[in-house]
Amino acid sequence: MSAEAIANLRAKFETELSANGSEYHPIDIERVRTEEWQVKRFIMDNEGNEDKAFSELVRVMKWKKSYGIHDRNDQYFPTEFWQLNAIEINGKDNQGRTIQWEVLKNQKSYPETMQHIQNFIAHCVERLDRAAGEAGFILITDTNGSGISNVDMEIAKFKINVIENYPLGLRGMYVVDQPWLLNAIMKIIVGFMSEKLKPLVNYIKSSELKDFIDPAFIPSVLGGLRDKNEFPPNTVKMDRATQFGWDEKFLDKFYKAFKLQRSA
């Protein structure tokens, strides 16, 4: 990757900013100006074609601003979003790629949470990508005890589309201990992926995780040595998160479904 190609793309972006600067978030503008990876990744993903790289850079940066990627922090999302999905960034694999862990069995979609879950997914991918940097990241999903009701096609498509906006960020997707009931639906989901992402999907047994991850990072439920989760601090429970406008009827249904205790 030549310094000239990066400089050319940055120059084109500055010209674009002079005409349409309001369509980009200041955080993304600064990162394009100062972080080499935020430019290089688009050039590499488009095999050195600077015109295509610029087009993709513009599209992604406009999407980030219009979707409000930088408008929500970890504490914006309720405690249950983090803990039920067991979403956490914890450790690196043997190739230095940052790991995001999640659990499928507690994932369930409701009309009342659909948009917020999509916002949560987008936030988590941005958060993960920034933590990972050029080394990239891997996604590990524990599917033990899960079933068809835990998979929502709209959510799956959305997650794939978000990941596509972070070229060369994802380096591997590991589905752990997948029940046979999910075989057919996972084939459909993989079919939604681009040809670049499909080869990154791996189906493995939990016993295989130690082949490429230090057991100290692997949760004990998957045969590792880690018995604590690392969720963001100072989050608020759903029945205290008034910004979402959830009514009491829905909250009662949600807490009952997951056998959770509501706030006192």
Side-chain angles (χ1 to χ4, degrees):
M1 177 61 58
S2 71
E4 182 181 2
I6 293 173
N8 289 342
L9 200 57
R10 280 178 168 154
K12 287 182 179 181
F13 189 64
E14 291 297 334
T15 301
E16 165 66 13
L17 289 176
S18 66
N20 303 300
S22 63
E23 297 184 43
Y24 302 89
H25 195 282
I27 289 176
D28 295 317
I29 294 173
E30 181 65 14
R31 294 184 73 198
V32 170
R33 286 172 172 169
T34 61
E35 297 179 23
E36 186 175 283
W37 174 238
Q38 295 311 313
V39 179
K40 184 167 72 170
R41 68 194 310 171
F42 290 95
I43 300 171
M44 293 174 63
D45 195 50
N46 287 280
E47 300 177 340
N49 186 312
E50 292 182 22
D51 289 336
K52 288 183 178 179
F54 176 67
S55 178
E56 278 299 286
L57 174 67
V58 165
R59 182 189 65 78
V60 169
M61 297 307 158
K62 284 184 175 181
W63 169 77
K64 285 190 176 187
K65 172 68 181 298
S66 64
Y67 197 79
I69 287 293
H70 303 298
D71 298 340
R72 296 173 284 268
N73 60 16
D74 291 350
Q75 286 67 37
Y76 174 85
F77 298 99
T79 305
E80 290 83 358
F81 278 27
W82 297 101
Q83 295 187 359
L84 286 174
N85 298 296
I87 297 288
E88 56 178 336
I89 297 174
N90 199 312
K92 297 182 185 241
D93 70 359
N94 294 343
Q95 297 183 49
R97 304 174 299 187
T98 299
I99 306 169
Q100 177 173 288
W101 304 85
E102 70 175 302
V103 173
L104 186 61
K105 68 179 180 181
N106 289 331
Q107 296 185 19
K108 183 174 175 60
S109 298
Y110 296 92
E112 294 89 344
T113 61
M114 179 64 74
Q115 183 59 60
H116 307 302
I117 288 293
Q118 291 180 340
N119 293 344
F120 180 63
I121 289 170
H123 172 76
C124 287
V125 175
E126 169 73 16
R127 174 177 179 258
L128 177 59
D129 184 75
R130 294 191 73 170
E134 190 168 353
F137 56 85
I138 64 173
L139 302 174
I140 299 181
T141 303
D142 174 6
T143 64
N144 281 285
S146 59
I148 294 174
S149 64
N150 300 120
V151 182
D152 184 289
M153 285 299 188
E154 185 176 345
I155 291 293
K157 286 182 182 179
F158 179 81
K159 186 173 185 177
I160 291 166
N161 289 336
V162 171
I163 291 171
E164 298 275 9
N165 286 330
Y166 294 82
L168 304 179
L170 179 67
R171 305 298 171 83
M173 183 180 294
Y174 295 86
V175 182
V176 181
D177 295 336
Q178 178 174 287
W180 68 268
L181 284 170
L182 296 184
N183 289 349
I185 201 166
M186 280 303 301
K187 286 182 180 179
I188 295 172
I189 290 172
V190 171
F192 297 148
M193 296 179 177
S194 69
E195 294 307 311
K196 293 178 180 178
L197 291 187
K198 286 178 182 178
L200 302 179
V201 180
N202 303 274
Y203 302 93
I204 66 172
K205 300 290 187 182
S206 54
S207 59
E208 297 176 82
L209 288 170
K210 65 181 183 300
D211 294 339
F212 62 100
I213 300 172
D214 188 319
F217 298 132
I218 302 172
S220 57
V221 294
L222 293 177
L225 301 176
R226 180 164 63 85
D227 56 7
K228 292 183 179 179
N229 296 110
E230 294 186 6
F231 302 125
N234 305 318
T235 57
V236 177
K237 292 185 66 173
M238 285 179 64
D239 57 359
R240 294 278 181 86
T242 57
Q243 70 268 32
F244 299 106
W246 291 315
D247 60 29
E248 291 299 309
K249 182 178 180 181
F250 166 68
L251 289 169
D252 283 340
K253 177 175 70 173
F254 183 91
Y255 277 84
K256 183 177 180 180
F258 290 103
K259 299 180 181 179
L260 297 174
Q261 197 74 27
R262 290 197 57 173
S263 300

